[in-house]
């Protein structure tokens, strides 16, 4: 909304009815000079001294377009800070806070410079500011698209309301149509047009009353094109009347105040017809004409000039017998004039608004959809999880974690390929400030203190190195491995995984596409060898060896873990886990319950068949509009060690799930089973990272 309003910024004018804030980057100037495009003559706004600005599509897209003046002087025209080009750059920065990668490059990206200020104190605030620039720019672009639904903007008809002497204005009368539409949109009973001879001269205010009736904004199908420019125009010069852009439609379908029927200015266009003789006349008899406020006029008849408005994009929505102009003894304000003349009145503007406003809305929606059209789909790799680390080696707070991430990526953008570009992975997260390597600071642990104490205020991101691609066709899928110079922390919560593409999307050379997925937070799975104890089913207690028929513990050998099912690649392995030892790993996976296959060999028992089971994934996050901050998989103590998920080898082999009675939630501690030594953790070998 801000951009849609501020695109009309001009230099300060003390004589104007209102002035927008004067904070244009680089100083104020007349942005409105760049709001015109006549596709039939393929020109921007031209005034007495020649070209005044760039065409609206060039201004929206921000293409280089210096102007050569009649004397041969090349005049550099100011760039647009709020164009599609700038919006794409701001979007990339909002997502990554990184410099632009070279096409096809592989390696580390540079951080954008960040100097905290009163307004932008954190990197999260900087990302938010860049996002604000994205949407501010889209508002400006939407304004430019919607100006193509104003025939004065597509028929080179200036309407500044300056240089006015009597009935003549050198820079065009103030736009009745714009005031009329704005009054109806606001539900106002009227509007004021201000016209002056000089820039700071005394005003001539013309107050016009308007009947209160609602505008219709809907009913037109959203156009789908393959370029930004097409929303403005798909054809120029003699082909323009059959073009599909909004400028094509309004240029060939309607007159404007300065290019009305029978005027010389109208003769430079193919349609509507230059002469009123080519139109059908419909008489509004004496005493039946009404003004814009709905009041009947006592005298004077009016003829409406009817014609056809062709819609080349939706031929079924072509309309015939549309009142395109008026002819009679009234001016545009339905005031009596001495001579009969052709003009536009509220009878004509009503139908302009009826046909153009729904198209302005639909074309704007189409432009926004086109900007965000890129689609990708993220799924886990063959290993079944996105990342795996040994928790003993990567257990420290803040600096330990995941430095490699794997995934599959599918291009799901309809009818467009991703080409000659780069991918980066982005992890967005908060931090659990209460985390400790022994997991006591996880939800359920005695060091976890909830939302206020544990959840980091600032959302952070870490960005991977660049992975370049040559091409990814529609529906094609590719496996990608991303390396993170700064790790995804082991104590992350509220984790979102993003993949960002920058490169060619269809016909757009420098597009930015992002896919975001809410995944599970770092989850911990522990394995323990508890065969230094024997479970006795007669007294439901554990007993230290030797006990009964058991004199020696068991060993777990050749342990292998697969997260993607029995045939998935091995994610981690462990050669030996002896009695009293335990090992723990952390992983990132989709929300839900991934399938896990556990293989091992036993010294005491014959080789076990692989055990396949469903492994819960932790969702450790805050819930919107609440002070909740917790995990779907809180930790519990198992033999004195905090665990999320715990798999233990025991004697006898089927005693795994038997609890220790009377332990108040601390599984197998106290009098029945001693706590493992602090030195007992064993490191996994992580095959996932190979």
């Amino acid at each position: 909304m801000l951009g849609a309003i501020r695109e009309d910024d001009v230099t300060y004018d003390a004589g104007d009815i209102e002035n927008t804030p004067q904070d244009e980057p680089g100083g104020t100037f007349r942005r409105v000079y760049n709001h015109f495009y006549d596709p039939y003559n393929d020109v921007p706004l031209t005034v007495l001294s020649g070209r005044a600005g760039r065409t609206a599509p060039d201004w929206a897209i921000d293409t280089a377009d210096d102007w050569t003046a009649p004397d041969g002087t090349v005049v550099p025209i100011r760039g647009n800070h709020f164009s599609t080009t700038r919006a794409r750059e701001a979007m990339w920065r909002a997502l990554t806070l990184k410099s632009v990668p070279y096409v096809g490059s592989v390696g580390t990206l540079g951080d954008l410079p960040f100097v905290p200020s009163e307004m932008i104190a954190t990197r999260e605030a900087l990302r938010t500011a860049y996002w604000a620039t994205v949407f501010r720019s889209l508002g400006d672009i939407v304004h430019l698209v919607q100006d193509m639904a104003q025939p004065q903007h597509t028929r080179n008809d200036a309407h500044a309301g300056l240089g006015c002497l009597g009935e003549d204005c050198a820079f065009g009368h103030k736009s009745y149509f714009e005031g009329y539409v704005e009054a109806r949109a606001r539900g106002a009973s009227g509007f004021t047009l201000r016209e002056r001879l000089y820039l700071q001269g005394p005003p001539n205010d013309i107050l016009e009353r308007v009947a209160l009736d609602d505008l219709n904004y809907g009913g037109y199908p959203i156009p789908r094109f393959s370029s930004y420019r097409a929303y403005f125009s798909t054809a120029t010069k003699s082909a323009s009347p059959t073009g599909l852009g909004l400028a094509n439609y309004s240029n060939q379908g309607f007159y404007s105040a300065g290019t009305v029927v029978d005027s010389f200015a109208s003769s430079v266009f193919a349609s509507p017809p230059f002469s009123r003789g080519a139109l059908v006349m419909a008489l509004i008899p004496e005493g039946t004409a009404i003004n814009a406020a709905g009041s009947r006029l006592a005298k004077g008849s009016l003829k409406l000039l009817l014609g056809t408005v062709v819609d080349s994009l939706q031929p079924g929505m072509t309309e015939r017998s549309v009142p395109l102009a008026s002819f009679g003894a009234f001016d545009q304000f339905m005031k009596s004039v001495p001579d009969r003349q052709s003009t536009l009145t509220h009878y004509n503007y009503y139908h302009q608004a009826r046909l153009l406003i729904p198209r302005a809305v639909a074309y704007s929606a189409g432009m926004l959809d086109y900007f965000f059209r890129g689609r990708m789909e993220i799924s886990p790799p063959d290993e079944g999880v996105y990342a795996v680390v040994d928790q003993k080696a990567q257990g420290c707070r803040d600096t330990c974690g995941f430095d490699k991430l794997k995934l599959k990526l599918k291009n799901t953008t309809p009818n467009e390929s991703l080409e000659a570009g780069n991918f980066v992975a982005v992890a967005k997260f908060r931090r659990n400030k209460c985390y400790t390597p022994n997991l006591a600071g996880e939800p359920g642990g005695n060091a976890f203190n909830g939302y206020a104490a544990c959840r980091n205020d600032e959302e952070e991101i870490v960005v991977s190195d660049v992975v370049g691609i040559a091409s990814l066709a529609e529906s094609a899928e590719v496996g990608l491995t991303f390396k993170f110079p700064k790790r995804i922390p082991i104590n992350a919560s509220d984790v979102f995984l993003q993949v960002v593409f920058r490169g060619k999307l269809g016909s757009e050379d420098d597009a930015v596409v992002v896919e975001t997925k809410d995944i599970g937070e770092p989850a911990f799975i522990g394995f323990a060898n508890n065969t230094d104890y024997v479970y006795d089913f007669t007294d439901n207690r554990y007993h230290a060896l030797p006990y009964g028929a058991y004199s020696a513990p068991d060993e777990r050998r050749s342990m292998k873990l697969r997260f993607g099912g029995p045939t998935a690649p091995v994610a981690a392995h462990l050669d030996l886990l002896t009695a009293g030892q335990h090992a723990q790993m952390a992983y990132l996976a989709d929300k839900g319950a991934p399938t896990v296959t556990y293989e091992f060999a036993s010294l005491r028992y014959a080789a076990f068949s692989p055990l396949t089971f469903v492994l819960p994934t932790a969702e450790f996050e805050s819930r919107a509009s609440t002070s909740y901050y917790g995990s779907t998989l809180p930790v519990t103590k198992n033999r004195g060690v905090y665990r999320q998920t715990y798999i233990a080898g025991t004697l006898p082999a089927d005693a795994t799930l038997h609890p220790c009675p009377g332990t108040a939630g601390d599984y197998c501690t106290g009098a029945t089973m001693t706590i493992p030594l602090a030195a007992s953790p064993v490191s996994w070998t992580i095959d996932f990272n190979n």
Side-chain angles (χ1 to χ4, degrees), residues 91-99 123 424 426 461 463 500:
M91 182 175 174
W92 167 262
R93 295 184 179 198
L95 290 165
T96 68
L97 290 181
K98 297 289 185 179
S99 56
R123 294 179 68 82
V424 295
V426 179
I461 63 170
V463 182
V500 184

Side-chain angles (χ1 to χ4, degrees), residues 76-142:
I77 297 179
R78 184 169 179 168
N80 184 5
H81 284 278
F82 304 109
S83 64
T84 59
T85 304
R86 302 299 181 94
R88 285 299 195 201
E89 177 63 28
M91 182 175 174
W92 167 262
R93 295 184 179 198
L95 290 165
T96 68
L97 290 181
K98 297 289 185 179
S99 56
V100 180
Y102 291 104
V103 172
S105 65
V106 177
T108 303
L109 295 170
D111 288 328
L112 294 174
F114 172 56
V115 179
S117 67
E118 182 180 349
M119 294 181 62
I120 301 178
T122 65
R123 294 179 68 82
E124 181 182 15
L126 182 60
R127 289 191 293 119
T128 301
Y130 278 123
W131 273 121
T133 302
V134 173
F135 288 99
R136 158 70 203 264
S137 300
L138 292 175
D140 286 73
I141 295 161
V142 162

Side-chain angles (χ1 to χ4, degrees), residues 111-458:
D111 288 328
L112 294 174
F114 172 56
V115 179
S117 67
E118 182 180 349
M119 294 181 62
I120 301 178
T122 65
R123 294 179 68 82
E124 181 182 15
L126 182 60
R127 289 191 293 119
T128 301
Y130 278 123
W131 273 121
T133 302
V134 173
F135 288 99
R136 158 70 203 264
S137 300
L138 292 175
D140 286 73
I141 295 161
V142 162
H143 181 119
L144 296 169
V145 172
Q146 293 177 355
D147 269 348
M148 300 301 97
Q150 212 282 60
Q152 287 177 295
H153 282 264
T154 63
R155 293 170 69 86
N156 196 17
D157 185 2
H159 46 277
L162 292 175
C164 299
L165 184 62
E167 294 297 318
D168 297 320
C169 290
F171 296 95
H173 288 283
K174 270 293 190 180
S175 177
Y176 183 106
F177 183 52
E178 290 177 2
Y180 169 77
V181 169
E182 183 172 0
R184 289 183 59 188
R186 289 182 171 184
S189 60
F191 59 94
T192 299
L193 300 180
R194 172 163 290 187
E195 297 186 335
R196 290 167 292 156
L197 176 58
Y198 301 109
L199 185 63
Q200 305 294 344
N204 176 27
D205 288 346
I206 305 167
L207 177 64
E208 178 71 353
R209 298 295 180 184
V210 176
L212 292 177
D213 57 351
D214 293 333
L215 288 171
N216 176 26
Y217 296 98
Y220 193 80
I222 297 176
R224 306 294 182 193
F225 296 120
S226 59
S227 71
Y228 295 110
R229 190 173 295 275
Y231 287 91
F232 295 87
S233 169
T234 64
T236 62
K237 302 292 179 101
S238 61
S240 178
T242 60
L244 310 180
L246 187 54
N248 298 124
Y249 176 79
S250 66
N251 172 279
Q252 64 85 25
F254 303 94
Y255 299 107
S256 68
T259 65
V260 75
V261 62
D262 293 333
S263 68
F264 172 78
S266 179
S267 66
V268 300
F269 300 103
S271 64
F274 161 67
S275 170
R276 66 177 182 270
L279 300 171
V280 175
M281 289 196 179
L283 177 65
I284 298 178
E286 179 96 18
T288 61
I290 60 173
N291 62 20
S295 300
R296 181 171 294 183
L297 302 178
K299 295 182 179 180
S301 63
L302 183 70
K303 290 181 179 178
L304 299 181
L305 307 178
L306 311 181
T308 298
V309 180
V310 175
D311 189 329
S312 298
L313 180 62
Q314 298 287 341
M317 300 185 77
T318 292
E319 289 212 16
R320 292 168 176 78
S321 300
V322 177
L324 298 180
S326 301
F327 180 75
F330 296 103
D331 64 8
Q332 64 175 343
F333 301 102
M334 295 295 287
K335 295 178 181 177
S336 298
V337 291
D339 301 317
R340 300 179 70 82
Q341 61 183 24
S342 296
T343 187
L344 300 180
T345 67
H346 72 90
Y347 285 98
N348 312 116
Y349 289 130
Y350 174 86
H351 290 281
Q352 286 191 10
R354 179 178 65 83
L355 294 174
L356 287 166
I357 295 299
R359 286 166 172 82
V361 172
Y363 275 77
S364 297
M367 175 72 88
L368 293 173
D369 287 347
Y370 183 74
F371 185 86
F372 292 111
R373 73 194 183 281
R375 294 287 184 273
M376 300 182 293
E377 182 180 285
I378 300 170
S379 59
D382 293 337
E383 288 88 344
V385 292
Y386 297 110
V388 180
V389 294
D390 173 50
Q391 206 259 339
K392 179 183 178 183
Q394 291 295 329
C396 66
R397 173 179 154 179
D398 294 331
T399 57
C400 292
F402 308 90
D403 66 352
K404 182 177 287 189
L405 187 147
K406 295 181 181 179
L407 54 83
K408 290 181 179 178
L409 189 76
K410 180 184 287 188
N411 174 20
T412 56
T413 308
N415 306 313
E416 293 186 89
S417 61
L418 305 174
E419 299 179 4
N422 300 282
F423 292 109
V424 295
V426 179
K428 296 199 306 174
F429 55 88
R430 305 275 177 165
R431 289 183 191 266
N432 173 20
K433 297 184 293 183
C434 296
Y435 169 88
T436 57
N438 66 359
L439 302 189
E442 295 294 292
N446 60 13
F448 181 73
N449 296 317
Y451 186 97
C454 296
R455 187 171 186 258
N456 192 43
D457 291 336
E458 182 179 357

